[in-house]
Amino acid sequence: MALLAAAGLGAGTVNAIAGGGSLITFPALIAAGLAPVPANVTNSLAVSPGYVGSVVGSRADLPRERVRALVPIAVVGGFAGCVLLLATPQRAFEVVVPFLVLGAAGVLAFQDRLRRLVGHPRHMPPRRNRAALYGLTAAGGVYGGYFGAALGVMLVAGLALLLDERLARINALKNVLSAVIGAATVVAYAAFGPVEWVGVAVIAPTTLLGGYVGAHLARRLPSVVLKAVIVTAGTVVGLVLLWRAFS
C-alpha cells in the first residue's frame, strides 16, 4: 500500500507537468501482484482523479472556447478505446504504443521546424485546422481509453502543432482532455473491466494531490523548460515501453 500511494503521488505530479505518470503506477500494480490486463484497467481508474487536480491547478490558463468543442469528441474516443481494450488482444497495440509516444516527443521537440513544413496555425485554413484538431482529439481519446501511457505528451505535441497558443494554455487544455478521457475509462471499466478496487482506493487520492501540485509547478515553468521536460519524459516513456514490448 505504501508503494502504491507513493506511485500515485508521483504519477499525479508527472501527469500534470508532462504526462507519462502511468509508467509509475502501472509497474507498481504489477509489482503488487496484479496481472497485466487487470493492472492496466485498475491503473486507468486510479490515475483519473489526478487529472481533475491538474485541471483545478491550471484553470487560470484554460482556453475555455476550445473546451466546449473538444470535450465531447474526447469522451466518445475514450469510450471507443475502452471497447478496443476489452474486445481485442493487447499485444498488437503494445508494439505500436512505443513508436507513437516517441513520435509525439519528436513532434514537440521539432515543433518549429514542422510548423515551417505544414504551416503555422495562424496561416492554416480554419476548416483544415479544425478538422485536424478534431481528429487529433478523437485519436487521443481512443489511445487514452485503450492504454493511456504518455497520453499527455501526445496531446501536447499535437495541440502545440495546431494551436497558436502559449504552451501553458495548451498544457491546461491537455489536462481537461485527459480528465474527460479518464472519466470515460472510469465509467466503462468500472462496469465491465477486471478492476482491483483496493489498488484504486490507495492510488486515486494521492494522484489527486499530485495533480494539483504538478499543475501549479507547470504554470511557473518557462515554455522552453516545460517543453524540455515534456520531451524528455516522452522519450523516456517511449524507450521504456519499447524495451518492455520487445523484451
Side-chain angles (χ1 to χ4, degrees):
M1 291 179 70
L3 170 67
L4 296 181
L9 182 63
T13 304
V14 169
N15 277 339
I17 296 175
S22 290
L23 202 63
I24 300 174
T25 47
F26 182 75
L29 289 164
I30 294 290
L34 272 67
V37 170
N40 191 21
V41 171
T42 301
N43 178 69
S44 295
L45 268 70
V47 301
S48 56
Y51 294 126
V52 177
S54 302
V55 172
V56 174
S58 61
R59 65 188 182 279
D61 291 313
L62 188 64
R64 290 173 173 78
E65 68 280 1
R66 306 281 186 187
V67 172
R68 290 188 290 271
L70 298 182
V71 161
I73 299 172
V75 171
V76 173
F79 278 122
C82 294
V83 172
L84 280 177
L85 177 63
L86 296 176
T88 61
Q90 193 168 333
R91 174 59 185 168
F93 203 75
E94 286 178 349
V95 173
V96 175
V97 163
F99 298 101
L100 294 176
V101 175
L102 291 171
V107 167
L108 188 59
F110 299 102
Q111 171 189 337
D112 293 333
R113 294 184 184 180
L114 289 171
R115 275 183 171 177
R116 286 196 290 269
L117 292 175
V118 303
H120 194 280
R122 71 170 68 100
H123 300 143
M124 293 176 65
R127 183 174 298 179
R128 174 185 165 192
N129 182 271
R130 189 163 48 249
L133 190 60
Y134 291 170
L136 168 72
T137 304
V142 173
Y143 175 81
Y146 194 100
F147 187 60
L151 171 63
V153 176
M154 300 177 72
L155 286 175
V156 169
L159 292 171
L161 199 61
L162 296 173
L163 298 179
D164 186 20
E165 301 275 5
R166 292 183 297 109
L167 195 57
R169 286 172 62 82
I170 290 173
N171 199 55
L173 179 58
K174 174 266 293 182
N175 288 337
V176 171
L177 296 179
S178 297
V180 298
I181 292 168
T185 64
V186 167
V187 173
Y189 290 151
F192 305 108
V195 181
E196 175 53 63
W197 289 104
V198 174
V200 174
V202 175
I203 295 175
T206 55
T207 62
L208 182 62
L209 175 61
Y212 185 76
V213 171
H216 277 280
L217 180 59
R219 289 192 66 209
R220 287 164 172 77
L221 291 176
S223 291
V224 174
V225 177
L226 183 58
K227 180 185 289 188
V229 171
I230 295 173
V231 169
T232 301
T235 302
V236 171
V237 169
L239 291 174
V240 172
L241 291 173
L242 187 66
W243 175 82
R244 182 187 295 162
F246 293 98
S247 61

